[in-house]
Amino acid sequence: MKEGFRQAMAWLHTWAGLVFGWLLFAIFLTGTLSYFKDEVNHWTHPEIASHPLDDAAALDKAQRYLEQHAAGMKTWYINLPDERQPYIQVMYPGPSGRFANQILDAGSGQLAAARESMGGEFFYQFHYQLQLPYPWGRWLASLCALVMLVTLISGIITHKKIFKEFFTFRPRKGQRSWLDGHNAVGVLVLPFHLMITYSSLVIFMTMLLPGNILAQYGKQTTAIYDDLMPSRGVPAAANQPAPLVSLSELYRDFQQQAPGSRLGLIEVDHPGDANASVVFGRHGGDRIVHQIGYGRVYDGVSGALRFDRQVSSVPMMIAGGLYGMHMGHFAGPGLRWLYFLAGIGGTAMIGTGLVMWLGKRQLKHAKSARQPFHLCLVAVLNVMSMGGLMLAVIGFFYANRLLPFELAGRSGLEVRVFFWVWALSALHAALRPARQAWLEQLGLAALLYAGLPLLNAVTTGQGLNRSLAQGDWAMAGVDLTALAWGLLLAWAVRKLWRNVPVVKARKVAMSAEGEPT
Amino acid sequence: MMLVVGLLCYAGFAGLCLGMERHYRDLVGRPPQARVSLGLRLAGSLLLAAGLWLAVVVDGGWSMGLVHWFAALMGSAMLLVFLMPYRPRWAVGLAGAAGVLGPALGLVL
């Protein structure tokens, strides 16, 4: 390969990686957390108890609740409890147009008396919307994904010894180790990186590349979905009242027709109308291909099967496959942990890249007393985007436990705590010397992460002693992961503490050379 | 089953790794003979292929099997690469154990 091309790619990799790395780090970290969205939801709603799973009984409870509280609404959505989610979730567009999203206790079938919190949903939404108004957040996140794809591919081209150094990691060698680590997580987890980045673009493909759809369908862009899914439409309301079929009886029918299948999202259109429909969606855990909107459509009065919506075309299968692989709903516990670790790997790859960019340039200025402004700026942004984000994440968890239960607007306040902590960490990083800022922020983060199980035990009484004894692995898992992360951070702090900074080491070495012996 | 695929992949990568002169010298302490290197590389490739076969044909079909195999590849390679510099004996010991246990369990299951 021509050296000129490789150098051009190295330049692209360096600068695209730097400019988008800070945001990408946040996207990767929060996205990685989202693989345990349900577990985080469980942790952030400790009041909701688990009950033995019984789909039919849960359907009855959901139907009873919705008939009492949401009669006459156009559509109901129901999510049943499963191994990872202990509660029943019901959603419907309310009279004021606001979407009601309610959590029912799977035992009583009534509104669960739980603290208001977005829980894992916050990290999940943040990782593709970046807390910006629709559609700007999605566009920015997609731009980041595109740049990520560019940096991945330019990184592969730049990496000269991709096979020769496939198994190479040399610790305790300064910049060399950072580069080795960056390359190792980059290359060894490359299939995941490419899949996750490319699929994120596929997920938003109709938003990112609307040209074809606009050209074919003009202003009626939703018509494409009618073509893609011929049986998509459900009949309009007849405006004649008729009782809704019992959902649990429909479910028994469903179980006979498709034995072993689990229910995903359940949609009831025009409940209480003579033209009511019930759609039993497929559970994401049953197949890799993500099938939103697919499933069995029943007549909502007679209970007869109208049609079975299936993925029919190969392109839809590929797009759904990539979508499904990105989300990982199909993954059992083992694979889910690997997803999580691969996500951490991606996050680490971005982080090591940012650290290296700075370290390499700081070496050049090691002799001067003051670093140039742009390097100081990058140093601040590095601390804030990595150390600060980790503090913000754990801040969210602390806010979940420490904010008063009854506080109005509680879940919004949790989110604000996240951003306040992040902003404070940026301020702190700007005011302190870079090495001190790293030590202090990582040190504080180590304490907070390691202390999370203790906080949980003190504030809810559902600490590790209880969750482990009861086999509540979601609750214990969050606690233990936080503890492990805290220990990892503590190790990093210790390493950083003992490591004389490069700049200082140079100075010491130079003054030592100058001294007469 | 995924654990067995993981064992096969780990042993396979260890074979490929030891098949490289530098890593062999680091881990074993002396330079390898050319035939040993070739044998290790061959065995490594075969073990990786066995992992693929187990994941796809025996276990999950193409869709689930490929996902499991790639996950096992990534996980085992990361484990090997970051174990080697810190605990080289464990890395080699685990490779030996995985090289025996993986195929054995694969045949039994």
Side-chain angles (χ1 to χ4, degrees):
Chain A
M1 200 170 295
K2 290 177 208 81
E3 264 325 288
F5 178 63
R6 187 169 264 153
Q7 264 167 16
M9 285 295 124
W11 182 91
L12 182 64
H13 184 79
T14 305
W15 290 98
L18 176 75
V19 174
F20 284 85
W22 298 302
L23 211 44
L24 277 167
F25 187 91
I27 291 175
F28 263 72
L29 189 72
T30 50
T32 302
L33 279 176
S34 304
Y35 283 121
F36 288 116
K37 188 172 86 168
D38 288 352
E39 286 74 12
V40 171
N41 273 340
H42 178 54
W43 195 93
T44 51
H45 297 98
E47 296 83 11
I48 301 175
S50 296
H51 297 275
L53 294 178
D54 183 347
D55 285 353
L59 270 173
D60 275 337
K61 282 168 190 156
Q63 183 169 6
R64 212 173 307 139
Y65 179 86
L66 286 165
E67 277 171 350
Q68 278 170 15
H69 296 91
M73 297 305 158
K74 204 173 136 244
T75 316
W76 300 340
Y77 296 98
I78 306 166
N79 252 324
L80 295 183
D82 60 17
E83 305 84 37
R84 298 180 58 214
Q85 172 194 306
Y87 50 82
I88 305 170
Q89 184 186 26
V90 294
M91 295 168 282
Y92 50 88
S96 58
R98 242 184 93 88
F99 211 75
N101 180 355
Q102 282 159 348
I103 289 176
L104 309 184
D105 185 278
S108 70
Q110 292 304 315
L111 267 187
R115 63 189 67 203
E116 213 190 289
S117 169
M118 280 180 82
E121 197 66 32
F122 167 67
F123 299 114
Y124 174 65
Q125 288 179 13
F126 178 83
H127 104 278
Y128 65 88
Q129 308 201 111
L130 304 169
Q131 203 69 11
L132 293 172
Y134 179 84
W136 303 111
R138 289 173 189 221
W139 272 102
L140 183 58
S142 301
L143 180 66
C144 286
L146 186 66
V147 174
M148 181 76 195
L149 197 60
V150 168
T151 43
L152 280 175
I153 291 169
S154 58
I156 299 168
I157 297 169
T158 309
H159 190 15
K160 279 186 210 162
K161 302 172 185 164
I162 204 160
F163 291 111
K164 220 172 150 198
E165 294 195 344
F166 194 85
F167 298 106
T168 305
F169 175 63
R170 290 159 284 191
R172 296 180 285 271
K173 292 223 167 93
Q175 282 285 316
R176 180 80 249 169
S177 306
W178 285 100
L179 182 61
D180 276 351
H182 182 74
N183 288 341
V185 283
V187 173
L188 300 176
V189 197
L190 189 62
F192 172 81
H193 299 323
L194 286 173
M195 179 279 286
I196 210 76
T197 311
Y198 183 69
S199 61
S200 66
L201 293 169
V202 170
I203 289 172
F204 286 141
M205 65 183 168
T206 52
M207 181 190 86
L208 297 171
L209 297 172
N212 255 331
I213 303 171
L214 289 174
Q216 292 284 332
Y217 295 91
K219 280 184 181 152
Q220 289 175 323
T221 45
T222 50
I224 189 181
Y225 298 107
D226 295 333
D227 282 356
L228 286 174
M229 217 192 288
S231 54
R232 171 170 172 261
V234 290
N239 291 323
Q240 281 174 353
L244 183 67
V245 66
S246 157
L247 293 180
S248 58
E249 268 170 38
L250 263 192
Y251 174 72
R252 283 184 197 108
D253 195 42
F254 169 84
Q255 278 290 293
Q256 279 175 2
Q257 285 161 354
S261 303
R262 291 183 287 168
L263 281 182
L265 186 69
I266 297 141
E267 177 185 329
V268 183
D269 294 291
H270 312 299
D273 186 273
N275 267 355
S277 316
V278 178
V279 187
F280 277 174
R282 293 189 172 84
H283 194 281
D286 285 352
R287 261 182 99 178
I288 293 179
V289 178
H290 188 68
Q291 331 180 58
I292 203 159
Y294 295 96
R296 289 167 171 269
V297 184
Y298 293 91
D299 186 310
V301 178
S302 70
L305 178 69
R306 282 219 188 96
F307 37 75
D308 190 356
R309 292 178 189 156
Q310 302 244 22
V311 182
S312 47
S313 66
V314 174
M316 289 291 282
M317 188 77 104
I318 294 171
L322 282 166
Y323 201 138
M325 286 219 283
H326 188 105
M327 311 277 279
H329 285 319
F330 62 89
L335 195 54
R336 185 164 295 281
W337 272 104
L338 282 175
Y339 256 118
F340 182 79
L341 292 176
I344 297 283
T347 316
M349 175 178 67
I350 298 165
T352 49
L354 287 169
V355 169
M356 265 192 304
W357 187 97
L358 188 63
K360 223 170 162 181
R361 281 157 189 81
Q362 276 179 338
L363 270 182
K364 282 186 201 156
H365 296 275
K367 285 177 194 162
S368 50
R370 276 185 68 87
Q371 299 273 318
F373 173 74
H374 68 280
L375 292 188
C376 294
L377 181 68
V378 169
V380 169
L381 285 168
N382 273 2
V383 177
M384 166 257 177
S385 70
M386 295 189 258
L389 178 71
M390 281 189 243
L391 282 173
V393 167
I394 199 66
F396 182 90
F397 282 84
Y398 272 72
N400 178 271
R401 285 292 187 265
L402 295 176
L403 289 176
F405 191 95
E406 301 289 344
L407 201 65
R410 191 179 184 289
S411 76
L413 204 59
E414 282 180 13
V415 172
R416 254 178 285 161
V417 167
F418 175 89
F419 287 104
W420 281 336
V421 172
W422 208 355
L424 276 178
S425 81
L427 191 70
H428 171 260
L431 294 176
R432 302 282 290 159
R435 184 165 179 272
Q436 238 51 45
W438 270 119
L439 278 173
E440 285 158 11
Q441 295 205 6
L442 288 184
L444 181 61
L447 278 180
L448 289 177
Y449 276 89
L452 194 71
L454 188 66
L455 175 81
N456 187 23
V458 170
T459 51
T460 66
Q462 298 200 32
L464 284 169
N465 51 352
R466 208 175 126 194
S467 55
L468 284 177
Q470 290 183 341
D472 185 353
W473 287 105
M475 183 70 75
V478 174
D479 275 351
L480 288 173
T481 308
L483 179 63
W485 196 251
L487 294 178
L488 192 74
L489 288 175
W491 173 78
V493 168
R494 191 167 147 252
K495 239 177 127 58
L496 186 62
W497 181 271
R498 289 188 169 183
N499 213 3
V500 186
V502 180
V503 181
K504 230 185 240 169
R506 277 283 169 99
K507 270 187 199 159
V508 172
M510 277 188 303
S511 60
E513 272 167 30
E515 272 168 19
T517 44
Chain B
M1 188 55 94
M2 218 185 127
L3 193 69
V4 183
V5 178
L7 286 175
L8 286 170
C9 288
Y10 183 88
F13 271 132
L16 290 181
C17 178
L18 284 169
M20 292 164 83
E21 200 197 323
R22 180 155 54 96
H23 293 298
Y24 187 94
R25 209 195 304 248
D26 282 352
L27 290 170
V28 182
R30 55 185 149 80
Q33 289 176 316
R35 276 161 75 192
V36 173
S37 282
L38 189 70
L40 281 167
R41 282 205 294 268
L42 200 67
S45 314
L46 279 175
L47 283 165
L48 290 182
L52 177 65
W53 180 78
L54 190 69
V56 172
V57 180
V58 181
D59 193 29
W62 279 107
S63 57
M64 253 339 205
L66 273 182
V67 170
H68 279 167
W69 187 61
F70 270 108
L73 279 183
M74 293 189 268
S76 59
M78 286 290 275
L79 182 65
L80 175 68
V81 168
F82 288 98
L83 205 54
M84 266 194 304
Y86 294 104
R87 293 277 181 280
R89 277 158 187 269
W90 294 13
V92 178
L94 185 59
V100 175
L101 265 180
L105 285 173
L107 286 175
V108 172
L109 290 173

